[in-house]
Amino acid sequence: MSDWPELNVEHDHETLAILHLASQMLGKVRVAHAPWTNHGWHVALQPNARGLSALPTAAGDGRTFTLTLDLCRHAMVLWVSDGSREEVPLNAGSVAALHRRLIAILDEHGLPSTFSDRPNEIAGAVPFAEDTRSRDYDRDSAARFREALAAMMPVFARFRAGFSGKASPAHFWWGSFDLAVSRFSGRKAPTHPGGVPGLPDRITREAYSDEVASAGFWAGGAVDAEPFFYSYIYPEPEGYRTSRVRHGRFDQTYGEFTLSYEYVRASDDPARMLTEFFQSAYDLGADLAKWDRSALEREPVAP
């Protein structure tokens, strides 16, 4: 067994659900108070040694502030450019309490505190302020989630480094609660049909305005499901879903190739297996879609 930590939906689901909803609050502050960047990259959270952090946001008075989901301190932490710091413990008891306390600390420091209180991409989601159900936060579950992200990030970084065309950072999408890196062919894509639950079609269509191949890790979050890695291409070329890739399989429900986190974790060399899955799925999609691979790819440069 590798040293990648176990993630078990039965034990970890409640904590991952709290983290999913807390991460949405951090991201929504950026949606409300930062200029829009292509494909919404400005609202994604950034993995770091302590957890997940939003990019700095201007306060409008010369200051900036950053919100971090700190999974070492087990808190939402506010950092302000004037040197002040506040935090909201993640074991607040309910999502409503987290929401209320986050707004309170932003107000106390005279920072922008308005943002949409309705979760995105979660079926039947309850507004943050109304989600008063008691929830138990487990520090061990959160720590293992942080360790899992740390273990897989070098694979994501190397995969990103093998592409010289337009590509995203390896960043964390709080809507669906997944880590992802995306490569782009440089060509425009047909209009996306939309229809993603809890996400305005205009956002989806802008996100998929260009041909894209993405690789990622979905932790489940508010959805009661086992974590898995994935790879997909948009638009999907003919023959894609009936082809084979290394280690993974095409999931008709999600419309993408998937590979169980536990299967990777149990392998002799998780990093190698995950790398082979990502590269194989990308090779398949890029070849079928006739991307100009010789102009877009390179050998990653070692540190």
Side-chain angles (χ1 to χ4, degrees), residues 14-185:
E14 184 79 343
T15 297
L16 292 177
I18 294 170
L19 295 178
H20 189 174
L21 294 165
S23 71
Q24 292 217 3
M25 296 179 206
L26 272 57
K28 283 173 175 289
V29 171
R30 291 281 297 163
V31 171
H33 302 288
W36 192 267
T37 301
N38 58 304
H39 315 305
W41 289 352
H42 67 301
V43 303
L45 302 182
Q46 314 302 310
N48 60 36
R50 303 187 67 86
L52 298 164
S53 183
L55 291 168
T57 301
D61 57 4
R63 295 179 300 162
T64 59
F65 67 97
T66 298
L67 288 163
T68 296
L69 200 60
D70 190 321
L71 303 184
C72 294
R73 295 191 63 81
H74 301 284
M76 292 190 290
V77 181
L78 167 68
W79 299 89
V80 189
S81 60
D82 60 14
S84 55
R85 182 183 69 84
E86 297 283 352
E87 61 183 61
V88 176
L90 287 163
N91 63 348
S94 71
V95 171
L98 281 174
H99 179 253
R100 182 175 63 253
R101 294 177 189 178
L102 174 60
I103 291 174
I105 64 170
L106 290 170
D107 285 340
E108 286 171 10
H109 288 270
L111 300 170
S113 63
T114 57
F115 57 91
S116 170
D117 77 339
R118 185 171 293 278
N120 292 113
E121 301 183 58
I122 299 173
V126 177
F128 301 129
E130 299 174 18
D131 192 345
T132 58
R133 180 172 68 85
S134 177
R135 295 177 184 263
D136 293 326
Y137 178 84
D138 183 84
R139 287 180 169 229
D140 178 66
S141 293
R144 284 185 285 103
F145 172 62
R146 176 181 54 79
E147 291 164 6
L149 292 179
M152 67 183 72
M153 272 300 294
V155 178
F156 278 79
R158 186 171 178 82
F159 184 71
R160 166 63 181 85
F163 201 76
S164 57
K166 173 183 170 182
S168 76
H171 49 197
F172 197 89
W173 293 107
W174 42 265
S176 48
F177 204 62
D178 64 316
L179 178 69
V181 61
S182 298
R183 296 172 164 187
F184 295 82
S185 73

